[in-house]
Amino acid sequence: MYCSDSQSEKLRTITTQNISIMKNEMPQLPYPANGLEPIISAETIEYHYGKHLQTYVTNLANLVKGTEYEQCEVEEIVASAPDGGIYNNAGQVLNHTLYFTQFAAPRQGNTPVGRFAELINRDFGSFDEMKRQMEDAAIGLFGSGWAWLSLSVDGKLQITKESNAGNPWRNGSKPLLCIDVWEHAYYIDYRNRRADHVKALWPLIDWKTVAGRL
């Protein structure tokens, strides 16, 4: 049993290229809990991944039981569910899966290459300018939410701010890279210094993984 035809059609409509359909389950981390130190501590991973994300996965599983979304994949729910508990928890499962799987062990000087680097230069002028705009979006977002680099339906890279569980997938764009500015993402390590956390993340980005989402 799958989602309704209307939901599946909406998912196909907002898809720009190939996608990786996600189950409502905990993603496998491509690094150990301490693998992102000293930028993100093992304690933060324990709470952010092990407790917060697990709560969203559990909540979503409970909320969709007996509903039209019970057999849906996470992207389908995010694309089609109305605002409310099901959408909010599905959004956080999708967002956090993309977030945690975009990282690798810290490596100075790692930058995008190939086609992805060309797209960044085309749409932002330079990698440094893209970083600056992402940082500004994340630091300047009021309250909890996300800064996103995504591929729009017309094939251009864009940076947006999304509050709470928001994801550019909802509006037809393909999410590529995100910065989580909910306080639980950084408070253990940085307390209220959101800007320090945001600017420290770049050595962790696995650009091969991010480019693979194009």
Side-chain angles (χ1 to χ4, degrees), residues 100-199:
F100 284 115
T101 58
Q102 72 185 5
F103 294 136
R107 183 166 62 89
Q108 295 299 328
N110 63 322
T111 58
V113 297
R115 174 173 174 254
F116 191 39
E118 293 172 0
L119 291 177
I120 289 173
N121 289 333
R122 182 196 71 184
D123 295 335
F124 296 99
S126 69
F127 176 58
D128 286 341
E129 177 61 17
M130 185 278 289
K131 286 172 57 179
R132 185 192 67 78
Q133 291 188 31
M134 276 290 286
E135 290 173 359
D136 287 350
I139 295 167
L141 191 150
F142 181 79
S144 299
W146 304 77
W148 289 95
L149 175 67
S150 62
L151 187 70
S152 69
V153 292
D154 59 1
K156 293 184 178 180
L157 298 177
Q158 62 185 1
I159 291 171
T160 57
K161 302 177 187 180
E162 299 281 351
S163 61
N164 299 321
N167 187 301
W169 184 253
R170 181 84 159 173
N171 299 314
S173 298
K174 181 179 292 187
L176 304 174
L177 173 72
C178 59
I179 298 177
D180 185 348
V181 292
W182 282 69
E183 285 190 344
H184 60 243
Y186 60 87
Y187 208 82
I188 290 173
D189 300 327
Y190 296 86
R191 297 299 186 261
N192 65 334
R193 303 190 315 276
R194 177 192 286 191
D196 290 349
H197 165 71
V198 168
K199 293 180 179 182

Side-chain angles (χ1 to χ4, degrees), residues 13 32 43 54 64 74 79 94 109 113 130 145 147 162 164 166 171 214:
T13 299
E43 184 179 9
Q54 182 64 71
V64 298
V74 172
L94 177 59
V113 297
M130 185 278 289
E162 299 281 351
N164 299 321
N171 299 314
L214 284 170

Side-chain angles (χ1 to χ4, degrees), residues 18-34:
N18 294 332
I19 59 169
S20 175
I21 296 294
M22 294 181 187
K23 302 285 186 180
N24 177 36
E25 57 189 24
M26 293 291 287
Q28 186 71 36
L29 294 181
Y31 44 82
N34 65 352

Side-chain angles (χ1 to χ4, degrees), residues 55-68:
T55 297
Y56 295 130
V57 169
T58 301
N59 286 347
L60 181 59
N62 291 332
L63 286 167
V64 298
K65 286 180 181 177
T67 74
E68 61 186 308

Side-chain angles (χ1 to χ4, degrees), residues 64-79:
V64 298
K65 286 180 181 177
T67 74
E68 61 186 308
Y69 300 103
E70 188 168 8
Q71 301 300 323
C72 289
E73 312 294 1
V74 172
E75 289 95 335
E76 292 175 307
I77 299 173
V78 172

